[in-house]
Amino acid sequence: MEAKPESHKLIFEKEGVYLHTNAKRSNQDTTVPGFIRIVERDGEPAMEWSPVEEDARKAPAVFYTKKVEGGTLSLKCALNLFETKFDPGYEPDWAVISTVKQQRRQEHPPVRETGQWGSFSLPLSELYSLRRARFSLGRNFLVLTTRGGDPLPPLHFNRGGARELLKAMQRYIRLAPSPMDGRLFLAYPHDSGALSQSFDELHLFDDTSADLVSRFIQDPYATTFGGFSKVTNFFRGALPHTHHESPLSNRSPQDAHCPHPADEEPGFELITCVKLGPRPEVKRGKPLDNWDQFLDPEGRVTDPQKVKELVFRGGIVPSLRREVWKFLLGFYPWNSTTKEREDILRGKTDEYFRMKVQWKSVSEEQEMRNSLFRGYRSLIERDVNRTDRHNSFFSGNENPGLVLLHDVLMTYCMYNFDLGYVQGMSDLLSPLLFVTQNEVESFWCLTGFMDLVHQNFEESQEAMKQQLLHLSILLRALDPELCDYLDSQDSGSLCFCFRWLLIWFKREFSFEDILSLWEVLWTRLPCENFHLLMACFILESQKEELIGSNHDFNSILKHINELTMKLDLQPILCGAEAIYLQLTHCKELPLKVQEVLGLRVPSSSSEESPDSEPKETDTLLTQSETRGASSCQPYNGQTPQRPPPTYP
């Protein structure tokens, strides 16, 4: 009797889905591009992945658990090809931060031949769960687990399509969120009425879900399965406006004024889509050029706030920088007298040289037994030789400026040995050393500067993640269209701004502009996150180029990097201040934006790390739902109902 030919029906197919694993023992990162499909074979639905290069068929593999006589066939036993513990950790090309505490990854990790990985096919009846996972800044993955308890290699949807995939799966199975883990969704077989249930019954897109909204507010660039972000194009469809509305339906008329593409999640405006008033015109002022007028007969600064306001408005003339910077960076207290400052300088000098003697007295034999100290020295020597060599103060061989740069950084390691030296710190020191022309003064100015930014250099990089989160919140409020485009190109995490925030634009502007910029930022006016407003203005200025030229992820990164030394500082400072005024004059400003601008004390949940899972929903959702799509009255010259700006 002839065998009945196998029936085959293709339900869904998507290219650009990367199978991702990490050869952990050798620090090699492996990504394999391929196709994801939902197919019916003899009536049984299955999810299949195969690499782009079809030579993988030479080594076919079927990855799923299946009931057999006597038990279950384990995924691990069936293929023996993948480690089940995946730990991808990326070091972005734009990151200048590094430590000597862990070995750096190779710049170009090798990609294994796709034929070694084969293909996989998983019957949907054998799917136990799917989980959204974020292993690095801005890159998200879908991890499937079989009923045998074995995870498949993570899948990265580089070109979107995760929502469409789940919609196709919804024809055969139901997905329900785990009550214990908001990132985990469990698979169940359909009952007789399940096919009629709309996609919003998954509660993945339920705008009344407190946990979901809190996670978005905490970490919008990572909350992909909640539908609030499309960093990797997960779920690029719409969120429902009400609990019973299908996410596939059109937007309601009252939301029509909120600008966003047709495939954007209409739930965004509940949190961040605000109609801002006009952006005021701002002009820069004159630099601080008369220091003596602010000193009383004993040398105290009579009006520190006025000094800061003048510095913020126009900077400082070069001849006064050495003196005023020491106040801005905490080397001298504002209320100290001339005599007290002389005593402070003597004490700080003695303290500095005591620390310097400590590292200079370390013998070669001692250093050989201290790998951490040896690593710090090696990094410093390498970075000193490539820091601002175009500047005459550091140019040429055997330049005394290079010796001072080296010695101050080594002494800082003794001052803060836990942090030690991290790549990028030499960029912070060189302008200080150039202005003060003094080893001791530059060291203590560096400690004051590091008090402001030391968290940027911590190994966990939690502070950098938080700043990128805050930047995304601001940009979403200012320009949802630009955010949507960046999301669609897998750039919604804004990680291409990493270097900007890490070392305060040090490599983006000329050396002279950096002197002007940093003294403005040191005033902490009008808010501590003024550098984020600068980043927003720069990104807005590049919107036409990014969208008009249809840049993808790689070309966006390339374009942003090529802005180095092409930016005009003064218009950017004006634009950033104008953004601040525009936002603060908005009477319906989302609470999270207020927190970023320092207009509202953040709740305890918003101080948690971006990876935390807040327990309570921010009142923002309730307020936004009551008002509908938020709108702001144009600024009419009246004082807004919130604390006024802390600068003129």
Side-chain angles (χ1 to χ4, degrees):
M1 187 175 179
E2 291 185 6
K4 185 178 178 180
E6 180 186 36
S7 64
H8 174 277
K9 183 179 179 182
L10 180 64
I11 306 300
F12 170 83
E13 182 178 53
K14 180 67 179 178
E15 186 183 2
V17 179
Y18 284 71
L19 182 144
H20 181 98
T21 186
N22 175 250
K24 200 167 185 180
R25 294 187 181 90
S26 58
N27 264 353
Q28 294 176 351
D29 181 34
T30 303
T31 55
V32 184
F35 294 83
I36 193 77
R37 301 179 181 91
I38 299 293
V39 298
E40 284 187 11
R41 298 187 185 278
D42 290 331
E44 182 177 7
M47 177 189 297
E48 298 183 350
W49 180 91
S50 60
V52 173
E53 298 181 16
E54 288 302 324
D55 61 346
R57 293 178 179 174
K58 299 173 184 177
V62 180
F63 300 172
Y64 62 90
T65 58
K66 191 172 184 180
K67 296 292 181 181
V68 295
E69 247 185 82
T72 300
L73 177 63
S74 170
L75 170 69
K76 211 178 299 182
C77 298
L79 36 106
N80 242 352
L81 291 177
F82 292 90
E83 292 184 35
T84 58
K85 294 182 179 179
F86 301 102
D87 184 24
Y90 295 95
E91 181 179 280
D93 294 339
W94 51 87
V96 296
I97 184 171
S98 68
T99 72
V100 297
K101 297 176 183 178
Q102 69 178 47
Q103 194 174 15
R104 295 176 63 91
R105 301 188 183 278
Q106 300 178 17
E107 290 186 12
H108 304 286
V111 177
R112 298 185 61 171
E113 293 293 327
T114 57
Q116 298 183 35
W117 303 112
S119 307
F120 75 74
S121 175
L122 176 69
L124 294 184
S125 61
E126 294 297 331
L127 176 64
Y128 175 73
S129 69
L130 60 86
R131 173 189 292 275
R132 59 182 179 86
R134 178 166 61 88
F135 297 125
S136 67
L137 286 175
R139 184 164 294 203
N140 299 267
F141 298 88
L142 185 65
V143 179
L144 307 174
T145 301
T146 70
R147 294 198 178 277
D150 298 298
L152 275 67
L155 299 173
H156 169 53
F157 289 76
N158 189 52
R159 302 178 185 175
R163 177 179 178 270
E164 290 77 8
L165 171 66
L166 295 183
K167 183 180 177 182
M169 295 170 61
Q170 182 74 356
R171 298 176 58 175
Y172 306 101
I173 59 174
R174 290 196 65 196
L175 296 171
S178 166
M180 305 301 295
D181 185 347
R183 297 173 182 262
L184 180 67
F185 298 87
L186 304 178
Y188 298 99
H190 268 310
D191 57 31
S192 59
L195 288 175
S196 65
Q197 294 173 333
S198 65
F199 203 42
D200 57 332
E201 288 187 37
L202 294 177
H203 300 289
L204 298 173
F205 302 102
D206 188 350
D207 60 6
T208 63
S209 168
D211 185 59
L212 178 63
V213 173
S214 297
R215 290 202 309 277
F216 162 71
I217 295 170
Q218 192 67 20
D219 194 350
Y221 65 83
T223 312
T224 54
F225 263 93
F228 289 99
S229 176
K230 302 185 293 293
V231 174
T232 53
N233 297 317
F234 277 173
F235 298 118
R236 295 208 44 216
L239 286 167
H241 294 290
T242 64
H243 182 71
H244 299 290
E245 182 183 356
S246 170
L248 303 178
S249 62
N250 294 328
R251 290 183 293 160
S252 56
Q254 65 266 30
D255 298 326
H257 69 279
C258 292
H260 56 270
D263 65 344
E264 185 207 349
E265 299 90 345
F268 249 126
E269 65 268 21
L270 293 177
I271 296 179
T272 57
C273 185
V274 292
K275 185 177 180 181
L276 300 175
R279 187 171 296 179
E281 182 179 352
V282 172
K283 295 182 179 179
R284 299 287 293 160
K286 294 181 179 180
L288 174 64
D289 58 1
N290 187 346
W291 179 240
D292 291 340
Q293 67 173 320
F294 292 100
L295 302 179
D296 68 10
E298 294 184 329
R300 298 183 184 88
V301 179
T302 56
D303 194 346
Q305 186 63 24
K306 181 63 174 178
V307 172
K308 292 179 182 179
E309 291 169 358
L310 288 174
V311 173
F312 172 77
R313 182 69 57 210
I316 308 170
V317 295
S319 60
L320 293 179
R321 276 180 176 147
R322 179 178 180 179
E323 185 66 18
V324 181
W325 278 20
K326 286 182 281 189
F327 287 88
L328 292 174
L329 291 171
F331 181 47
Y332 291 145
W334 291 96
N335 61 351
S336 60
T337 65
T338 302
K339 176 64 170 59
E340 289 170 342
R341 291 196 287 274
E342 292 173 355
D343 295 338
I344 289 172
L345 180 58
R346 280 194 295 270
K348 293 290 188 181
T349 301
D350 291 342
E351 186 177 355
Y352 172 80
F353 282 107
R354 281 197 301 271
M355 290 185 289
K356 184 175 180 179
V357 167
Q358 290 177 357
W359 66 263
K360 276 191 165 293
S361 63
V362 174
S363 66
E364 291 185 9
E365 186 177 346
Q366 288 176 308
E367 187 170 325
M368 288 300 296
R369 294 192 297 269
N370 191 331
S371 60
L372 196 57
F373 180 83
R374 190 168 65 250
Y376 289 151
R377 185 195 290 273
S378 175
L379 276 177
I380 290 172
E381 290 174 350
R382 184 180 65 185
D383 285 356
V384 162
N385 288 324
R386 59 186 185 185
T387 299
D388 291 324
R389 298 304 299 274
H390 60 280
N391 187 293
S392 59
F393 191 79
F394 304 105
S395 63
N397 297 323
E398 300 182 3
N399 189 316
L402 297 179
V403 176
L404 292 178
L405 195 64
H406 172 274
D407 289 358
V408 171
L409 292 172
M410 285 296 299
T411 306
Y412 186 83
C413 288
M414 305 307 298
Y415 173 80
N416 187 354
F417 202 82
D418 286 341
L419 178 62
Y421 177 78
V422 181
Q423 204 169 2
M425 289 169 57
S426 62
D427 285 288
L428 303 186
L429 173 60
S430 60
L432 303 175
L433 192 54
F434 174 81
V435 168
T436 63
Q437 307 275 307
N438 181 279
E439 182 177 2
V440 174
E441 292 179 1
S442 65
F443 171 82
W444 291 109
C445 286
L446 176 65
T447 63
F449 196 177
M450 288 299 296
D451 286 343
L452 301 177
V453 299
H454 72 92
Q455 290 181 328
N456 291 5
F457 297 91
E458 291 177 353
E459 192 171 3
S460 68
Q461 297 190 6
E462 287 303 313
M464 292 303 302
K465 296 176 187 177
Q466 190 74 3
Q467 288 184 75
L468 290 171
L469 166 63
H470 288 167
L471 178 57
S472 69
I473 291 173
L474 292 174
L475 191 62
R476 173 66 63 180
L478 292 166
D479 200 328
E481 182 184 5
L482 177 58
C483 283
D484 292 336
Y485 180 77
L486 294 174
D487 285 338
S488 72
Q489 301 303 319
D490 199 18
S491 300
S493 63
L494 305 178
C495 286
F496 46 80
C497 301
F498 188 96
R499 188 176 70 189
W500 294 1
L501 310 184
L502 178 73
I503 51 177
W504 280 17
F505 300 95
K506 170 61 165 56
R507 300 187 184 180
E508 319 312 318
F509 294 98
S510 67
F511 194 87
E512 183 58 37
D513 277 348
I514 284 298
L515 305 183
S516 301
L517 170 60
W518 283 0
E519 60 197 16
V520 168
L521 295 179
W522 290 333
T523 67
R524 315 305 277 164
L525 297 176
C527 65
E528 293 187 358
N529 283 323
F530 188 69
H531 63 303
L532 300 184
L533 298 176
M534 290 180 56
C536 286
F537 182 82
I538 295 173
L539 292 175
E540 280 190 323
S541 71
Q542 301 302 310
K543 174 181 177 179
E544 184 176 349
E545 167 63 24
L546 294 175
I547 298 180
S549 300
N550 197 27
H551 285 286
D552 60 12
F553 176 86
N554 291 326
S555 59
I556 289 173
L557 176 59
K558 181 175 183 291
H559 177 76
I560 295 299
N561 283 340
E562 289 176 348
L563 295 177
T564 300
M565 301 302 165
K566 297 178 183 177
L567 300 172
D568 191 347
L569 177 62
Q570 296 305 318
I572 292 174
L573 290 174
C574 291
E577 184 182 355
I579 288 175
Y580 178 82
L581 294 173
Q582 180 188 29
L583 292 174
T584 55
H585 292 156
C586 174
K587 295 182 179 180
E588 302 294 337
L589 197 64
L591 300 185
K592 283 297 173 181
V593 179
Q594 294 182 39
E595 291 176 5
V596 174
L597 297 179
L599 303 176
R600 176 179 179 270
V601 177
S603 61
S604 58
S605 63
S606 47
E607 293 174 348
E608 298 172 4
S609 69
D611 294 324
S612 62
E613 299 291 339
K615 299 293 184 183
E616 299 178 357
T617 305
D618 196 286
T619 55
L620 170 62
L621 179 63
T622 303
Q623 293 178 353
S624 299
E625 287 177 334
T626 302
R627 298 171 184 136
S630 299
S631 61
C632 299
Q633 300 297 324
Y635 178 55
N636 56 11
Q638 298 179 359
T639 304
Q641 301 302 313
R642 59 164 55 87
T646 56
Y647 75 106

